[in-house]
Amino acid sequence: MKVYNMIKLTDAEFLEFVQYMHKNYGIDLSKKRQLIEGRLSNMVERKGMKSFSEYIKSIKRNDQQEISLLINKLTTNYTYFYREENHFKYLREVILPYEEQTNKLKTINIWSAGCSSGEEPYTLAMIINDYFQLKRMSWKVQILATDISQNVLDKAKEGIYAEESIKNLPQSYKNRFFKKTSDNKYEVTPEIKSQITFKTFNLMDPIVARNKYTVIFCRNVMIYFNAATKIELVNKFYEATQTCGHLMIGHAETIQRGQSKYKYICPAIYKKE
């Protein structure tokens, strides 16, 4: 068995890599030198490369599959159904009743930004279906789920999860919205799958929203951004949010008051008034 020696980053390579990832993907790796070496070194050598300089050149050719693999290596796509459940409780108990009472067009437009392997957007679809019950067909609900990584989007579209991933869901959701597979996993039903549109999207790109969003979920994504990049993104989200719409962020994330027009509602929940 071949033993790989860890390829070390030179100072110049580290600076070039950090600048490239920040400029193109908003990811702040300025304090992550050990992480870069630890997660990428063996992969670089397996590709037959002798240095990070060679690898950086290959990345700059803009091979989307290679870039997707890189981002997967550097970010942690750890998620599960019903993660940070107070967001889902707020959606069900505050946002949906408000929309039901005031939304004469009966349209709900939700964006799961940084959806990873799909647990979040599928949870949103299940909650909306459960809330409206038989009235669901009279509502036009659009759920857009985006991620920069095609790898995790492929898994999301498949919609198959281990039992551990769905353990926090209500039993009624498990019974109604999943079917058990032959290898004891759980697959999201076609009814729920059909309600999600999955797309690759880089949050550093301009956000074009013909129909503004009722809610934007961007949870545990901005932890990878520096302060300036984060507030720039939050302000883009604000412009894409409808009046009385909401932004949900991760509980490890904050938006400094005065740097955004969103009104603080409670930890990790903001509103456009």
Side-chain angles (χ1 to χ4, degrees):
M1 186 174 77
K2 184 173 180 178
V3 177
Y4 294 101
N5 296 314
M6 182 177 282
I7 296 174
K8 295 292 185 181
L9 267 170
T10 67
D11 291 345
E13 288 169 341
F14 176 60
L15 182 61
E16 183 181 7
F17 194 71
V18 167
Q19 289 175 340
Y20 176 79
M21 293 301 293
H22 180 255
K23 179 182 176 183
N24 290 278
Y25 307 105
I27 298 173
D28 182 8
L29 297 169
S30 59
K31 298 176 182 175
K32 304 288 185 181
R33 186 167 185 155
Q34 282 187 303
L35 180 141
I36 295 168
E37 284 186 340
R39 295 193 180 180
L40 300 183
S41 180
N42 285 351
M43 183 181 74
V44 169
E45 184 156 344
R46 280 197 298 271
K47 291 177 180 294
M49 298 174 180
K50 300 289 192 293
S51 68
F52 271 94
S53 290
E54 287 184 61
Y55 180 65
I56 294 166
K57 283 178 186 174
S58 75
I59 290 297
K60 286 184 174 181
R61 295 189 197 110
N62 208 27
D63 179 333
Q64 290 306 307
Q65 188 171 357
E66 193 65 46
I67 289 167
S68 183
L69 178 62
L70 167 64
I71 291 169
N72 262 9
K73 288 274 188 182
L74 294 178
T75 58
T76 305
N77 291 300
Y78 174 69
T79 186
Y80 49 87
F81 284 88
Y82 242 49
R83 185 181 184 187
E84 299 184 356
E85 68 176 279
N86 72 307
H87 288 139
F88 302 118
K89 185 178 180 183
Y90 189 89
L91 174 69
R92 185 183 183 95
E93 296 181 0
V94 178
I95 295 174
L96 293 180
Y98 175 80
E99 293 300 318
E100 188 174 23
Q101 292 167 16
T102 64
N103 191 330
K104 294 178 181 177
L105 296 176
K106 293 191 172 183
T107 60
I108 293 175
N109 198 17
I110 297 178
W111 181 13
S112 171
C115 68
S116 189
S117 44
E119 290 88 341
E120 179 178 274
Y122 286 134
T123 301
L124 297 173
M126 292 173 196
I127 289 169
I128 291 168
N129 277 257
D130 187 51
Y131 178 84
F132 285 112
Q133 297 286 340
L134 296 176
K135 293 182 283 185
R136 171 65 181 83
M137 296 305 293
S138 65
W139 283 79
K140 182 180 180 183
V141 179
Q142 297 176 309
I143 301 175
L144 173 65
T146 68
D147 202 280
I148 198 169
S149 168
Q150 187 59 52
N151 292 354
V152 294
L153 285 176
D154 289 341
K155 183 182 177 187
K157 290 175 186 175
E158 190 178 44
I160 298 174
Y161 302 93
E163 186 171 9
E164 176 74 10
S165 183
I166 69 167
K167 68 179 183 180
N168 291 336
L169 284 173
Q171 188 61 45
S172 61
Y173 282 26
K174 297 177 189 177
N175 296 340
R176 183 177 168 193
F177 300 123
F178 291 87
K179 58 181 181 181
K180 202 167 185 179
T181 65
S182 57
D183 56 350
N184 288 321
K185 292 187 177 180
Y186 292 81
E187 182 171 4
V188 177
T189 61
E191 174 197 13
I192 294 297
K193 283 185 182 180
S194 69
Q195 295 172 29
I196 319 288
T197 301
F198 289 103
K199 287 184 180 178
T200 54
F201 184 71
N202 183 347
L203 289 171
M204 296 302 99
D205 290 341
I207 296 171
V208 179
R210 281 180 291 180
N211 300 311
K212 293 196 174 185
Y213 294 99
T214 312
V215 193
I216 297 175
F217 282 76
C218 186
R219 305 188 303 164
N220 305 301
V221 174
M222 292 186 287
I223 54 174
Y224 299 106
F225 300 163
N226 65 23
T229 302
K230 183 196 302 183
I231 203 60
E232 183 181 342
L233 178 59
V234 167
N235 288 333
K236 289 197 295 184
F237 282 151
Y238 184 87
E239 295 305 318
T241 305
Q242 68 183 34
T243 302
C244 296
H246 288 78
L247 171 67
M248 311 277 197
I249 65 174
H251 281 86
E253 302 165 316
T254 56
I255 298 172
Q256 295 299 320
R257 297 188 190 196
Q259 291 188 311
S260 166
K261 296 177 184 175
Y262 280 114
K263 178 186 176 184
Y264 172 85
I265 300 298
C266 59
I269 299 178
Y270 298 82
K271 183 178 182 181
K272 179 175 180 175
E273 294 194 319

